């Protein structure tokens, strides 16, 4: 149940994802600083957060008398997290941030989430609130909220969905009405609010979607508001309670230490953020930040599950070794078990690479690189969708390595599976990510984003041709399928045929781009060679055949009567 931060793997993935290209943009992110940050984060994750994971799963966050109490140890750890400056890595220096690359923050947050997914969710939401307010808040709002959110003194939430709405935000009914004093009053109910209430911070800053009077129906009638748990005093401190409260917490499959709240707003004082009627567009700043972070959570849980399954495979003895003849031999000496573990590690490294490459592009885009912005936009649904699917798959396969012992709670393998099953649902289900990919991202700038990505992958495939046991050839065939799928889908944009092939295409893209990232890692470090070779034979080899699922069309769906 211990966790060892994979510092060498993370550093390699950062390099393969292009992190060195950021040093010119972030001079303070020199190699010594990056190494020190990674080392410190790894120690905090392993020593402070990880020991809370299993006890938090058993004890749960609790709700009583209108208040939420974090699972034992979590409030103290979150305060220590804030005191250590871990919440401020990529934030702007003028508001108290350290101004380091987003890619470094993503690398660090992988370790925090691997230590405890329930813990990592709280700062992830705070990071999203910081980015939304930094992008769309007024000068006064930034001055009031950003310093304390960045320091971690306060935490943030995202209040979108409602009982009748689910992912259909056009169905939101929470309303905001002018208070006659330049502010607003919010009334309504929100559900599934992660860390919506707790005792780990002095204040909680809620970002809330609501409808203003006479707003049009649909998403164009939605505006974004900031409503703190405690109303700010004249000197900017947390003062009297606002008219909002948790009505309870959800009883969930996993992440028991993370309080998922039903939040009730009863005329809560709030401020408009950005432009009235542009709330969904503004909220997408927060959602996109969260999508990359949730993708990284998929990487994190895959790594954590792998480490536990690997340790079990070395300790557990049964059957005869296929290589030495020893009997009973460690499970590690059974070819199918070793294949399973290697594939978990390979897919984890591939997903890690995608998330870090997305973050590198985001850092470059922040500094005005238009091509990098296209790359970030294109990779985000793949990073979120494919990486979270990898997390669930890895947790399931790691449980399988344990056999029947994995199905019993005492080993802890089941917790990883229970905890991560939410990830493909969070921040827009993976079906929504697929629709975003084929409906919006493929057509950006006339398809320039996908064209550039295909070109880069083909360049790597050509460079590796005949190397690493055929990795280059497999990668080349896979990227050809990715390009062909993009052409087919783009020609049918918005049709049922394109929508029917969206999920299959996201999977195809994830496996191809992941294979590219893994190949680049293997090119830099020979110890990754066996993983890249196995991935090419077991995963990339099947990608061209997936094109049939992408291009099948919607006729079978339309004909099915249920």
């Amino acid at each position: 149940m211990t966790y060892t931060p994979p510092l060498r793997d993370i550093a390699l993935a950062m390099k393969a994802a292009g992190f060195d290209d950021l040093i010119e943009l972030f001079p303070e992110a020199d190699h010594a600083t990056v190494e020190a940050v990674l080392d410190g984060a790894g120690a905090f994750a392993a020593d402070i957060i990880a020991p809370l994971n299993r006890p938090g799963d058993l004890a749960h966050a609790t709700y009583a008398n209108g208040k939420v109490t974090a699972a034992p140890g979590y409030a103290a750890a979150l305060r220590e997290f804030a005191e250590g400056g871990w919440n401020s890595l990529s934030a702007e220096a003028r508001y108290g941030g350290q101004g380091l690359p987003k890619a470094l923050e993503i690398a660090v947050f992988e370790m925090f989430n691997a230590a405890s997914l329930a813990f990592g969710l709280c700062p992830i939401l705070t990071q999203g609130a910081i980015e939304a307010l930094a992008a769309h808040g007024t000068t006064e709002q930034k001055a009031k909220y950003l310093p304390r959110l960045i320091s971690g003194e306060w935490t943030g939430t995202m209040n979108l969905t409602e009982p009748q709405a689910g992912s259909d935000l056009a169905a939101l009914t929470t309303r905001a009405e002018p208070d006659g004093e330049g502010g607003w009053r919010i009334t309504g109910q929100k559900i599934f609010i992660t860390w919506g209430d707790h005792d780990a911070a002095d204040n909680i800053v809620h970002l809330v979607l609501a409808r203003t009077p006479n707003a049009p129906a649909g998403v164009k009638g939605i505006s974004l508001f900031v409503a703190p748990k405690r109303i700010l005093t004249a000197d900017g401190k947390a003062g009297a309670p606002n008219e909002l409260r948790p009505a309870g917490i959800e009883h969930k499959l996993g992440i028991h230490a993370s309080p998922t709240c039903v939040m009730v707003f009863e005329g809560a004082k709030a401020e408009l953020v950005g432009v009235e009627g542009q709330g969904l567009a503004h909220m997408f700043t927060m959602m996109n930040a969260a999508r990359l972070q949730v993708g990284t959570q998929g990487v994190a849980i895959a790594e954590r599950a792998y480490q536990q399954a690997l340790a079990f495979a070395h300790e557990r003895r049964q059957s005869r070794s296929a290589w030495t003849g020893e009997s009973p031999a460690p499970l590690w000496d059974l070819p199918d078990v070793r294949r399973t573990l290697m594939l978990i590690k390979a897919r984890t490294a591939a997903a890690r690479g995608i998330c870090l490459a997305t973050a590198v592009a985001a850092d470059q885009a922040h500094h005005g690189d238009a091509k990098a912005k296209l790359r970030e936009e294109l990779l985000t649904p793949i990073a979120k969708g494919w990486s979270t699917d990898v997390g669930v798959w890895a947790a399931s396969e790691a449980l399988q390595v344990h056999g029947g012992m994995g199905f019993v709670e005492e080993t802890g393998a089941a917790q990883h599976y229970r905890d991560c099953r939410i990830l493909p649902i969070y921040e827009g289900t993976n079906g929504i990510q697929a629709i975003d990919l084929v409906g919006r991202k493929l057509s950006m700038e006339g398809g320039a984003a996908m064209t550039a990505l295909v070109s880069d992958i083909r360049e790597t495939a050509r460079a590796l041709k005949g190397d690493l046991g055929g990795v280059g050839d497999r990668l080349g065939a896979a990227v050809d399928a990715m390009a062909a799928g993009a052409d087919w889908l783009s020609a049918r944009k918005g049709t049922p045929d394109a929508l029917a092939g969206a999920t299959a295409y996201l999977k195809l893209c994830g496996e191809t781009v992941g294979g590219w990232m893994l190949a680049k890692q293997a090119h830099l470090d020979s110890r990754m060679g066996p993983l890249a070779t196995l991935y090419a034979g077991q995963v990339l080899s099947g990608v061209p055949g997936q094109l049939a699922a992408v291009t099948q069309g919607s006729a079978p769906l339309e004909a099915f009567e249920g």
Side-chain angles (χ1 to χ4, degrees):
M1 293 296 288
T2 58
Y3 168 65
T4 302
L7 295 172
R8 185 177 176 184
D9 290 349
I10 289 174
L12 174 63
M14 291 172 69
K15 186 174 182 65
F19 186 85
D20 288 351
D21 296 338
L22 299 178
I23 295 177
E24 184 177 347
L25 301 176
F26 298 87
E28 63 279 10
D30 57 77
H31 291 295
T33 299
V34 169
E35 184 177 0
V37 169
L38 291 174
D39 286 347
F44 189 87
D47 299 339
I48 306 300
I49 305 175
L52 301 174
N53 192 47
R54 184 60 175 159
D57 180 59
L58 296 173
H60 298 212
T62 56
Y63 171 83
N65 301 318
K67 295 181 179 180
V68 176
T69 302
Y74 276 72
L78 280 165
R79 293 188 188 99
E80 191 171 347
F81 177 89
E83 291 167 2
W86 297 114
N87 209 63
S88 64
L89 290 174
S90 68
E92 293 182 68
R94 58 177 165 162
Y95 297 115
Q98 300 179 49
L100 292 168
K102 168 65 69 175
L104 179 57
E105 179 183 86
I106 289 295
V108 162
F109 269 65
E110 178 198 321
M111 293 185 280
F112 298 148
N113 281 288
S116 171
L117 213 58
F119 179 96
L121 283 164
C122 186
I124 280 178
L125 270 298
T126 302
Q127 295 300 322
I130 291 168
E131 293 196 25
L133 287 169
H136 307 294
T138 64
T139 300
E140 182 183 4
Q141 287 169 344
K142 292 176 185 179
K144 285 194 298 187
Y145 293 109
L146 287 182
R148 287 185 167 90
L149 285 169
I150 288 169
S151 70
E153 182 182 346
W154 296 349
T155 64
T157 72
M158 177 165 49
N159 292 251
L160 283 77
T161 197
E162 299 173 7
Q164 78 290 345
S167 295
D168 182 10
L169 299 181
L172 298 184
T173 60
T174 295
R175 65 184 189 275
E177 299 175 349
D179 65 2
E181 301 176 355
W184 297 79
R185 293 279 185 171
I186 295 181
T187 302
Q189 183 184 95
K190 299 289 184 177
I191 61 171
F192 304 151
I193 309 306
T194 301
W195 284 87
D197 193 65
H198 55 80
D199 59 342
D202 293 337
N203 207 359
I204 301 172
V205 179
H206 299 285
L207 291 186
V208 189
L209 291 181
R211 294 188 180 281
T212 54
N214 302 316
V219 296
K220 293 183 178 180
I222 298 172
S223 299
L224 179 62
F225 298 86
V226 57
K229 177 181 178 178
R230 304 183 74 86
I231 299 169
L232 275 57
T233 61
D235 58 359
K237 296 181 180 179
N242 203 349
E243 295 298 319
L244 59 90
R245 59 183 175 84
I249 57 176
E250 307 289 355
H251 302 283
K252 309 184 297 290
L253 175 68
I255 53 169
H256 293 149
S258 171
T260 304
C261 300
V262 176
M263 296 299 301
V264 178
F265 296 83
E266 301 169 313
K269 289 179 65 67
E271 300 175 48
L272 177 70
V273 177
V275 179
E276 188 174 345
Q278 295 295 310
L280 190 58
H282 297 335
M283 185 62 93
F284 262 106
T285 300
M286 187 175 190
M287 289 175 68
N288 280 331
R291 284 172 176 175
L292 178 54
Q293 289 278 14
V294 171
T296 303
Q297 287 187 303
V299 178
I301 204 70
E303 175 66 38
R304 184 70 186 270
Y306 167 77
Q307 289 190 17
Q308 183 166 335
L310 179 66
F312 184 84
H314 281 292
E315 295 165 3
R316 179 79 165 178
R317 289 179 172 270
Q318 61 184 62
S319 303
R320 181 181 299 274
S321 169
W323 288 282
T324 68
E326 180 185 8
S327 180
L331 290 178
W332 173 250
D333 272 4
L334 304 181
D336 189 59
V337 171
R338 191 174 300 192
R339 177 196 61 83
T340 298
L341 288 165
M342 286 180 67
L343 273 178
I344 295 174
K345 188 171 181 64
R347 285 183 185 268
T348 302
R352 178 182 289 125
I354 292 175
C355 290
L356 288 169
T358 307
V360 166
D363 283 320
Q364 293 168 328
H366 186 69
H367 282 76
D369 188 328
K371 291 182 179 179
K373 182 61 179 176
L374 288 178
R375 178 64 55 89
E376 176 198 1
E377 293 279 346
L378 180 63
L379 289 182
T380 294
I382 301 171
K384 192 279 175 177
W386 191 71
S387 299
T388 56
D389 282 344
V390 164
V392 173
W393 171 87
S396 179
E397 290 293 288
L399 193 151
Q400 187 77 13
V401 169
H402 285 76
M405 300 300 292
F407 203 68
V408 234
E409 286 288 348
E410 283 77 5
T411 62
Q415 182 190 343
H416 303 318
Y417 186 78
R418 289 188 289 100
D419 281 355
C420 74
R421 188 56 189 85
I422 185 62
L423 300 182
I425 300 172
Y426 265 151
E427 306 308 334
T429 66
N430 285 357
I432 290 174
Q433 304 306 313
I435 292 169
D436 179 47
L437 176 62
V438 305
R440 293 182 60 245
K441 304 305 174 59
L442 289 184
S443 61
M444 291 186 304
E445 299 292 327
M450 179 56 77
T451 298
L453 180 61
V454 166
S455 177
D456 287 349
I457 297 175
R458 282 179 171 153
E459 181 179 347
T460 299
R462 285 192 296 269
L464 291 176
K465 194 171 182 63
D467 193 13
L468 293 173
V471 169
D473 293 333
R474 298 289 195 193
L475 182 59
V479 74
D480 287 347
M482 189 169 85
D487 291 342
W488 191 91
L489 291 164
S490 296
R492 294 160 178 81
K493 180 181 177 181
T495 67
D497 285 346
L499 295 173
T503 291
Y505 188 65
L506 188 146
K507 179 176 184 287
L508 187 156
C509 287
E511 294 189 347
T512 302
V513 180
W516 177 46
M517 289 288 108
L518 188 56
K520 292 177 73 173
Q521 293 172 36
H523 184 65
L524 292 170
D525 190 333
S526 61
R527 71 188 176 88
M528 301 296 284
L531 295 175
T533 301
L534 185 74
Y535 185 96
Q538 302 262 321
V539 180
L540 287 178
S541 62
V543 168
Q546 294 174 24
L547 189 59
V550 175
T551 61
Q552 184 176 31
S554 63
L557 309 182
E558 188 174 4
F560 184 60
E561 297 181 357

